Amino acid sequence: MTHIASTSPKVLGPRDGNAGFLGSIGVRFMIDGIGVDDRFALVEHPMGPHALAAPLHRHTHEDEYSFVLEGRVGALLGDDVVYGEPGDLIFKPRGQWHTFWNAGGEPARILEIISPAGFERFFAEIAGLDEDAKLDPEVRGELCARYGLEVDPTSVPGLIERFAVRFPGEPIT
């Protein structure tokens, strides 16, 4: 993962930063918490058409803010369904069950602000696993426990039916 120090000017270009695949959506690491005293982290999530990012889940340690760069992104926040388009910001507070997906037939991209930082390390660990381990419930369960993440894998069939999404999604090349 690239460490960006907060004390020196830095320009991160559109192809800079380590990238990986989380099993359904991509991740590009832009700013991790280590370089900014764990105040926040910034990642980019490219999503293939109709890709569901994850089962319903909730974070116990951090809030997430999704800034839509490209495409149309849907999010289920508790009982509320919202949609964001380029320039929109979707707030996903800690403790709230949520998920998000690409709500269109073209690729979508979001910038994800994680505050406070730390959860970007979960993404780095997932991206570093082989494909079988990414889907292994025991491996995922241990990681979720370590990062204070609760996940409801039984939500996936209902989300696929309700929002006409795919899980897992396909990597964007």
Side-chain angles (χ1 to χ4, degrees), residues 119-135:
F119 195 71
E120 75 282 6
R121 295 176 196 117
F122 173 88
F123 293 145
E125 288 196 50
I126 293 289
L129 296 173
D130 65 42
E131 294 307 310
D132 288 336
K134 285 179 186 176
L135 300 174

Side-chain angles (χ1 to χ4, degrees), residues 57-132:
H57 61 282
R58 65 178 167 185
H59 305 265
T60 59
H61 304 303
E62 58 278 318
D63 299 316
E64 294 177 306
Y65 305 82
S66 300
F67 184 80
V68 182
L69 296 172
E70 175 183 349
R72 186 167 190 254
V73 175
L76 178 61
L77 309 169
D79 294 329
D80 296 322
V81 177
V82 299
Y83 292 91
E85 296 185 353
D88 290 338
L89 182 71
I90 300 170
F91 174 47
K92 299 176 289 192
R94 74 188 79 188
Q96 182 178 61
W97 285 99
H98 68 279
T99 191
F100 62 100
W101 60 91
N102 179 345
E106 299 296 324
R109 291 184 309 126
I110 61 171
L111 287 179
E112 187 92 304
I113 301 162
I114 303 163
S115 177
F119 195 71
E120 75 282 6
R121 295 176 196 117
F122 173 88
F123 293 145
E125 288 196 50
I126 293 289
L129 296 173
D130 65 42
E131 294 307 310
D132 288 336

